[in-house]
Every structure is written in C-alpha cells, then in structure tokens.
Amino acid sequence: MNLGKLVWREFSERKNQLVTGFLAVLLGITVIVSIKNITFYSEKAVARELDALGANILILPKSASLQDYYSADLQDEEFPEEYVTRLTLSDLQGLDNLSPRLSLPVELGGGSYVLTGILPKNEFQAKAAWLGAGIFARPQGCGDVGIPAEEAAAVTPPVTTPEGCGPDGTPAEGTGAGAGGAQAQETLVRRTVIDTLDSTEALAGAEVAAALGLKQGSTVDLLGQTFTVSAVLPQTGTVDDGRIFAHLHTVQRLAGKGSVIQAIEVVGCCNQISQGLVQKINRLLPEAKVVTITQIVDTQIKTNRMMSRLSLIFLGIIVLVGGASIANYMFANVFERRREIGTLMALGANSSFVLRAFLAKALMLGLAGGLAGYVLGTILSVTLGPRIAGVPVFPRLVLLGWAVLISVTLSLAASYFPARRASRLDPFTTLQEM
Amino acid sequence: MLRMESVVKQYRHRGQVIRALDEVDLSVEKGDFVAVVGPSGSGKSTLLLSLGGMLTPTRGRVHLNGESLYDLAPAARARMRRERIGFVFQTFNLVPYLTALENVQIPLMLARAAEEEQHRTGVSLLEKVGLADRLDHKPAELSVGQQQRVALARMLANDPEIVLADEPTGNLDPDTTIEITEFLVELNSEGKTVVMVTHNQETASRAKRMLWLVDGKVYSEKPRKETRPLSRR
C-alpha cells in the first residue's frame, strides 16, 4: 500500500462520481485538440499554396500601380537597390527570400521581349515552379511543413515536369517538398549555373528559347552586349516565359540608370504575413509600396483568427465549466470522506498527507482527461479535418503534451482549495459528527 | 505515562458555551486498563480524543511519557499518534473501498514500512483476530463483528503502547461484545496500556480501573451529590 495505490483504489472504486468532472475536461480538451490540429494543417496547406506561387510579397515604387502581379516590375518607376540591403540587415522574421529585379524591353529576332536583371540565387530560390523542375533547392522556411515526406506527398500532388527542361538536359523529377534523390543534383546545378552566372551569362525563358531556337551554349546580343545562354528555363505559364534573365548589375549598366531596381519579390512566410509582415516592411521602407497576394492571405488571416478565437473560447469554457465541475466534485468528495480523513489522521496521517492524497487524485483525473481528450480530439480532427477545412490532418504528438498540461493544471488548480480544506479538517469534529 | 493536567475543553454552540471537560486531572500508568464510564454527552469521546492528541484542549496539558502533546507541532503530534497510540472506534471507521488487508496496512503505509513488511504484518494481524480467510474482503462484505476485528488488527499494526478505545462494543451483539472485550483484556495482559470509554458497565468491569465521567468531571467512583471529582488539589 502506498499513497498512489490508496488514491487509485478510491479513484477506481468511485469512478461513477467522477463522470461529470471527467466529461467536462474530456470534452474541452477534445475540442481544443481538434481545433488546434485542424488549424495547424490548414495553415500549413495555405502556406504551401503561397509557397507554390513563389514570391507572395512585392515591394514596388510608391507610385507604381499593380495591374498584374507577375508583371509588376514592368513599369517605369524605380527605387534604389539599397532597399534590399535594408531588408537584409533588418531583424524582420519570415523573409524567406528576396529577389530584386530590373527589367528592360528588348527587340530580338523581330520580336519584343523583356530583359530582366536579377540577383541569381535569390531569384531562382523564389521560383517554386522552377524548383519543381529540379533546378534549384527549395527555400526553407514556410514551405517546410515539417511533416514526413510520405505525408507531404499525400498532401501535395507532385509537380509535373516537362522532360528535358533541366539545364543539363536531363529529365528532372521531384515534388514541391523536394525529392531526396534529386537534392544533390539540384545543389550541383545551382553551383555550376547560378554561382557562375557572370555578366555575360543569361537564362532564357521557355517561350523565348522556343521562338529564337535558343539552347544551352547559344549566344544572343542584347543592347549591344553578347550573352551566352547558361540554361533554358522550364515553362512556368507566366510572363517569365517571355523573359531573358541576366545579372542585375549587368542590366543596370545596360540601362544606364545606376543602382536602381523596379521591384523586390519577397517569399514571405505565410504565418508571418498573417502576423503583420507586410506592415513591418512598410515601416522599414516607408518610401515603397508593399503589396501581397491579399485574397489568399486575407482568407488565411481570417481562418487563423477564427480558429484562434474558437480555441480561446473553448479554453475559457473548459476552465469555467471543467474547473467548476472538478471543484464541485472535489468539495463533495471531501465532505463525503470526512470520516475517512479523520480516521487517517487518527492513524497518524498529517495534513500534508491528506493534501497530497487529494491532489494526487486531481492529478490522475487531469492525466486521464488530458490523455483521453487528446486521443478523441485527434481522432475527430483526422476524421473531420478533410471535410471541414479541406486538408488532410495527421496526429501531432506535441498536442498530447499541451492537452495533458492544460488538463492537469486545471484539475490541480480546481482541486487545490477542496484539498486544502480536507487537510485542515478537524479530525475530532469529523469523527464526532458521524 | 499518560497524564492530563487541569484540562478544560469548551465548545461554543449556537452562542452557548459548553464545557465538555472541566478541570480534568487524570493519570494512566503503563500497563493500566482504565474504563471511563458515563452517559451519552458526558464528554467521554472528548476525553479520549484529547488523550490521543486529536483535540487541543482549551486549557491544560496532556502529557505522554513526559512530553506535552499539544506543545508539539502538528506533524510531530501525528507522528506520536502513528508510533505510540492505537485508536478503536465504535463505528470501526474502516476505509470502505479497501480490503481488510489494505485497511490493516494503512498505519504501516503511514509509517513508511516496505510493501513486503506491510503485507506480512497485515496477514499476521488478521490471522491473530481470526480473519485469515477474509483478507481480500471489503468492509461491506464483512459482518459487524468482523469489521471491528479488522479495526483492532489495524490498531495493532504499528504495535502501539497505548490503546484508546471509543465505545468499541457499542455496535456489537452480546457475543461479539464479549469477544472484543476479552481481546482488549488480552492486549492489556501483553503489556499494552488501554483506556476505554463506554457506557456499558459490564464491559467496563473487565478493566483494572473504572472512572466515571459526568458533566465533564472525572470521578473515581460513581458520583453522588457529595462525591468530589478527581483533582490534583
């Protein structure tokens, strides 16, 4: 016999009396776990969608108008390249990638195209569509959903890749989350192509390459400078297919405008965007205009807020109803066990023992409620998540910790005063009044 | 060994002061068997629980082996009860959700005895009271007499020097009353000091010494009008 066994025996023998308190905790924890689980995967799904779109924040000159998100840099207004430095040196969280660019119209082979100056590594890391082609490593951050590869594969359909679109002419493969086997090749390609992209190298968009018959190693004259095509980019379905990309500083020199750019594309973390990243960039760069893919982000912000409020509401409910229910049960339990408490004291138990006995019971109740709530909440979220939020939901062990922590804390807090009352009972009175 | 000095215990009930013990002086020597007799409401239980360190007197002192019980910290007093005093109650006060064996193990658990020792001692004591075949029975599955025998076994678990019995035969049939009384006599013959309060004169007559408690005062003989209560003066 020990304290734990004593408490467990009472706990198990009188479990019917515990039903109300247990159910209150169980239901509260179940709902919180369900909401938190669905919210987590919902946020990740939207983050993946945003990530798949590539840059989700654009920084433009103040007076620029935004007619088309993907051709926002094709306008006359400019701003200093130094803005990039400001962003880089800032402590803003959630900036996964920055891609400054400057575009010029060029005539080539009888057609009109756009020569876009980029800082290569940033530019390509910002383009998820190209990443899917296996050319460059995917940026880490909001695109990394932190779920196993097989789960990610279930969540995100593989990106189909045109054959022969890789710069080395090999068919590329992979998924949005990055295929492990292709990783080394991607890194190699990045180093050999991007890191060596010098002032005379260019990358041809798929449409330009097809129209002009360009391929790797071809040369092309633009604004009086001869460029060598380092790679032909895969089809993206955007205006980028009609562009030729060269080093930003080369394009700046050809444009004769100094260190200016027309836009900075930013891959911002979805969560950080919903937490005000755009406003923070605005404060950092008050002379610029910061825009985002507002519809998607707004939806996410609204969903997040709603889920967050729901979680808080249920947390409030569980604290009030669950706490009151447990406290009520515990007070009744203390009253019912007065004689037992008096007997234990007559047998030599001190106040501390009685206090510990009741708190141990509260601990068991909290553990049982938290564990059962986690299991039920996880089952509910995995079952209902796809129907409610349209996303696959998987069990998250971290929620078990939270569920148990909330449940145990609540149970202990609600039981403290009844337990203290039990420990302070006058044994004489309890024995006499029976 | 057990001594009360001018002990007064007063209660306040509905604005009225009730004096349950009134300047009680009492001395119980080691090996004594004292029966305190008195009508209901005379203060018998108050006297017994005060002797056992369970009820702080309004005034006066209670000494156990020279130590003033109520000058000890509550935890030390609990330890004193655990190690030296055994209580037997009229209503047995067994823990209903525990088996007979587990009930007997409670004092051993409180004394932090090892589980194996708890089991060995518990079985041995239940055998002693004739309940070897009822180890795993819960109180509700035992007869009233058997319950009191479990309570006696529990009381003996920590081998107390002093046995304080509060109406131990109050709920029992005549046969079991005799059985339990004889058990207390046997314990006394083994060297334990026994103080028993009862309203049953026949049971009390088995004690070595009988005291009367009337209106909170202790008398060495059945009080008449002129009888003086026990006093140090």
Side-chain angles (χ1 to χ4, degrees):
Chain A
M1 176 70 67
N2 52 44
L3 177 66
K5 194 172 177 183
L6 181 79
V7 173
W8 175 248
R9 291 301 302 274
E10 201 270 337
F11 193 86
S12 54
E13 290 281 332
R14 293 171 172 169
K15 49 185 174 291
N16 290 345
Q17 299 171 4
L18 279 167
V19 168
T20 314
F22 176 76
L23 277 181
V25 176
L26 172 74
L27 292 177
I29 295 292
T30 298
V31 174
I32 288 175
V33 167
S34 295
I35 291 175
K36 284 285 178 194
N37 215 11
I38 292 172
T39 307
F40 177 80
Y41 283 100
S42 171
E43 284 175 357
K44 288 297 174 191
V46 178
R48 276 193 302 277
E49 283 173 30
L50 280 177
D51 195 43
L53 288 167
N56 46 33
I57 297 175
L58 273 178
I59 300 171
L60 301 167
K62 197 80 172 176
S63 56
S65 60
L66 185 66
Q67 302 296 331
D68 176 0
Y69 192 87
Y70 285 99
S71 55
D73 58 330
L74 297 176
Q75 48 199 333
D76 296 334
E77 303 296 327
E78 291 142 2
F79 57 82
E81 190 186 339
E82 179 262 339
Y83 283 18
V84 179
T85 313
R86 273 203 243 172
L87 284 169
T88 309
L89 296 178
S90 75
D91 58 354
L92 287 180
Q93 301 291 310
L95 293 177
D96 254 26
N97 219 328
L98 302 174
S99 178
R101 50 171 61 196
L102 174 67
S103 295
L104 300 172
V106 290
E107 296 289 330
L108 194 62
S112 294
Y113 299 99
V114 175
L115 173 63
T116 298
I118 54 170
L119 285 178
K121 188 175 172 183
N122 290 344
E123 176 69 20
F124 282 97
Q125 285 182 336
K127 286 293 179 188
W130 294 347
L131 291 167
I135 300 177
F136 304 108
R138 185 187 185 84
Q140 295 296 305
C142 60
D144 177 17
V145 296
I147 56 176
E150 58 271 21
E151 291 177 10
V155 173
T156 311
V159 176
T160 52
T161 313
E163 284 190 6
C165 60
D168 55 356
T170 55
E173 59 180 28
T175 68
Q183 193 66 39
Q185 187 189 12
E186 290 168 359
T187 307
L188 176 67
V189 171
R190 184 173 60 181
R191 284 188 178 158
T192 54
V193 177
I194 300 308
D195 290 351
T196 58
L197 182 69
D198 61 25
S199 58
T200 60
E201 285 182 315
L203 302 164
E207 210 175 279
V208 184
L212 302 176
L214 298 176
K215 57 185 179 181
Q216 192 175 353
S218 301
T219 58
V220 60
D221 286 329
L222 296 166
L223 300 172
Q225 172 152 349
T226 303
F227 291 90
T228 304
V229 176
S230 300
V232 176
L233 300 170
Q235 191 103 27
T236 65
T238 69
V239 293
D240 287 346
D241 292 341
R243 293 181 191 232
I244 299 169
F245 294 91
H247 197 285
L248 174 66
H249 297 153
T250 302
V251 176
Q252 284 173 338
R253 181 171 51 77
L254 293 174
K257 292 180 177 179
S259 294
V260 293
I261 50 178
Q262 289 162 323
I264 305 171
E265 287 189 353
V266 179
V267 177
C269 269
C270 178
N271 290 341
Q272 301 289 343
I273 293 173
S274 67
Q275 288 164 22
L277 179 61
V278 170
Q279 289 80 358
K280 288 174 188 167
I281 297 174
N282 254 325
R283 280 198 290 275
L284 186 71
L285 303 172
E287 311 89 343
K289 173 190 278 187
V290 186
V291 293
T292 183
I293 307 176
T294 53
Q295 283 173 320
I296 292 175
V297 176
D298 278 352
T299 306
Q300 173 63 16
I301 290 170
K302 282 174 189 166
T303 307
N304 287 354
R305 282 183 184 159
M306 186 189 74
M307 291 293 194
S308 177
R309 281 181 195 146
L310 268 178
S311 295
L312 281 176
I313 288 169
F314 276 99
L315 192 60
I317 290 173
I318 183 185
V319 167
L320 283 175
V321 179
S325 180
I326 292 171
N328 184 47
Y329 163 72
M330 280 294 183
F331 272 121
N333 192 237
V334 169
F335 184 79
E336 184 190 10
R337 296 171 67 191
R338 297 186 315 286
R339 178 157 61 173
E340 182 189 326
I341 295 164
T343 305
L344 286 172
M345 286 179 163
L347 295 174
N350 54 26
S351 297
S352 153
F353 179 88
V354 177
L355 183 74
R356 279 186 287 131
F358 277 90
L359 290 182
K361 182 173 178 177
L363 180 70
M364 281 185 189
L365 181 64
L367 282 174
L371 194 63
Y374 168 76
V375 172
L376 199 59
T378 300
I379 291 171
L380 270 180
S381 59
V382 169
T383 311
L384 298 179
R387 294 179 196 175
I388 295 173
V391 292
V393 177
F394 303 94
R396 293 179 65 216
L397 212 56
V398 68
L399 288 178
L400 173 62
W402 281 109
V404 169
L405 182 71
I406 292 171
S407 177
V408 166
T409 306
L410 174 72
S411 186
L412 286 176
S415 302
Y416 178 72
F417 286 104
R420 196 177 69 161
R421 184 173 177 179
S423 72
R424 292 179 176 182
L425 277 179
D426 178 0
F428 172 75
T429 310
T430 62
L431 292 171
Q432 281 295 94
E433 66 189 7
M434 295 296 163
Chain B
M1 100 178 289
L2 196 53
R3 190 156 51 86
M4 281 184 141
E5 274 180 16
S6 307
V7 170
V8 173
K9 181 64 190 176
Q10 291 181 167
Y11 304 103
R12 188 171 283 276
H13 183 68
R14 293 179 190 267
Q16 273 195 316
V17 175
I18 297 162
R19 188 168 271 221
L21 296 178
D22 189 4
E23 297 289 347
V24 172
D25 290 298
L26 179 66
S27 186
V28 181
E29 295 307 319
K30 184 174 167 59
D32 204 353
F33 186 167
V34 179
V36 181
V37 185
S40 293
S42 59
K44 297 193 298 296
S45 294
T46 304
L47 175 84
L48 199 76
L49 292 170
S50 296
L51 278 173
M54 294 273 285
L55 182 64
T56 309
T58 310
R59 206 165 61 231
R61 282 206 161 90
V62 179
H63 295 274
L64 174 59
N65 291 338
E67 256 186 306
S68 176
L69 269 183
Y70 295 97
D71 287 331
L72 294 173
R77 206 158 57 239
R79 191 173 61 246
M80 187 81 91
R81 281 198 298 272
R82 196 162 60 230
E83 292 171 355
R84 298 188 177 177
I85 300 169
F87 279 96
V88 185
F89 303 98
Q90 178 179 359
T91 47
F92 327 129
N93 292 0
L94 298 177
V95 179
Y97 51 85
L98 297 181
T99 64
L101 179 60
E102 288 166 341
N103 264 287
V104 177
Q105 287 177 334
I106 291 175
L108 296 159
M109 170 194 72
L110 293 173
R112 296 172 191 272
E115 298 247 351
E116 194 184 329
E117 186 192 338
Q118 287 183 33
H119 187 268
R120 195 175 54 245
T121 309
V123 171
S124 159
L125 287 168
L126 285 169
E127 279 172 357
K128 183 174 179 175
V129 297
L131 292 175
D133 56 344
R134 296 285 190 272
L135 300 180
D136 297 323
H137 287 229
K138 289 187 180 153
E141 297 161 352
L142 297 170
S143 70
V144 174
Q146 286 170 330
Q147 287 183 46
Q148 187 59 301
R149 280 191 276 160
V150 173
L152 286 169
R154 182 180 66 185
M155 177 269 292
L156 291 172
N158 282 335
D159 193 22
E161 303 164 46
I162 301 159
V163 176
L164 300 177
D166 187 1
E167 299 274 13
T169 60
N171 281 358
L172 304 178
D173 59 70
D175 287 345
T176 315
T177 295
I178 294 168
E179 194 181 312
I180 298 299
T181 308
E182 290 309 313
F183 190 80
L184 290 174
V185 171
E186 187 185 325
L187 287 179
N188 178 242
S189 67
E190 289 170 3
K192 296 197 187 300
T193 307
V194 181
V195 179
M196 173 177 70
V197 301
T198 179
H199 62 269
N200 186 329
Q201 298 237 6
E202 198 176 322
T203 303
S205 65
R206 297 291 291 132
K208 288 179 179 168
R209 195 152 68 96
M210 212 186 316
L211 299 173
W212 277 261
L213 185 65
V214 179
D215 294 335
K217 293 181 187 295
V218 176
Y219 300 86
S220 58
E221 56 186 72
K222 194 167 186 179
R224 296 186 185 87
K225 277 186 182 172
E226 66 277 15
T227 311
R228 286 168 58 89
L230 285 177
S231 167
R232 288 188 301 150
R233 285 165 297 209

